[in-house]
Amino acid sequence: MSTAEASGWRKGLVVEDSDDSRVWLMDALATAFPTLQVEGQATFAQSFEAAVRLRPDVVLVDLGLPDGEGTDLIRDIRAHVPNAFFIVATVFDDEKYVFPALRAGAHGYLLKDQSQESLAALLRGIQQGQAVLS
């Protein structure tokens, strides 16, 4: 049984406005949890709509979106999908971004400056209860 199956995670959502980064993050999530159904969206509005429809178990969120802030998106999705597990995946390594993301409900904060394999390992660790702030 995979980690995603053991945890009950069935659906994932990746929120990233850059096409290349979105595909990269979706691949990392799929590598970490091979049985997870993963969908990607590029904007706040599309992501919120997808989250309400999909009811994801795990959401990877970039902070800088063209039509809103990732921290606000976490709060909005949490209101409709309270059991979702949120992980920020971003290039911002400043505490100015980390603490608001955690206060909004993020369970982890990962920087995108690592290999896909390292990111997948960190994702598995977060899902298993390890606190991860890269």
Side-chain angles (χ1 to χ4, degrees):
M1 180 178 289
S2 76
T3 307
E5 289 172 319
S7 71
W9 285 3
R10 296 178 333 272
K11 299 174 190 170
L13 177 63
V14 173
V15 180
E16 168 62 59
D17 59 321
S18 163
D19 293 338
D20 290 341
S21 291
R22 186 172 54 256
V23 169
W24 185 80
L25 289 169
M26 290 173 69
D27 288 346
L29 195 56
T31 297
F33 309 109
T35 62
L36 198 68
Q37 172 194 343
V38 181
E39 182 173 316
Q41 296 295 334
T43 68
F44 186 111
Q46 291 168 341
S47 300
F48 180 75
E49 191 175 289
V52 170
R53 171 182 46 79
L54 185 65
R55 304 198 57 77
D57 300 296
V58 58
V59 183
L60 262 63
V61 181
D62 184 28
L63 294 178
L65 301 171
D67 58 341
E69 293 295 322
T71 52
D72 293 333
L73 181 61
I74 291 170
R75 282 189 200 96
D76 289 357
I77 292 174
R78 271 188 98 68
H80 289 85
V81 190
N83 294 327
F85 199 89
F86 295 90
I87 302 166
V88 170
T90 187
V91 296
F92 299 121
D93 63 354
D94 185 316
E95 68 183 43
K96 169 180 145 185
Y97 298 99
V98 174
F99 295 115
L102 295 174
R103 282 193 296 272
H107 297 89
Y109 192 98
L110 303 175
L111 297 177
K112 295 185 275 189
D113 66 349
Q114 52 203 313
S115 73
Q116 195 173 67
E117 295 77 22
S118 295
L119 184 60
L122 289 170
L123 290 168
R124 283 189 294 272
I126 290 173
Q127 187 274 332
Q128 294 169 352
Q130 297 173 10
V132 176
L133 300 172
S134 62

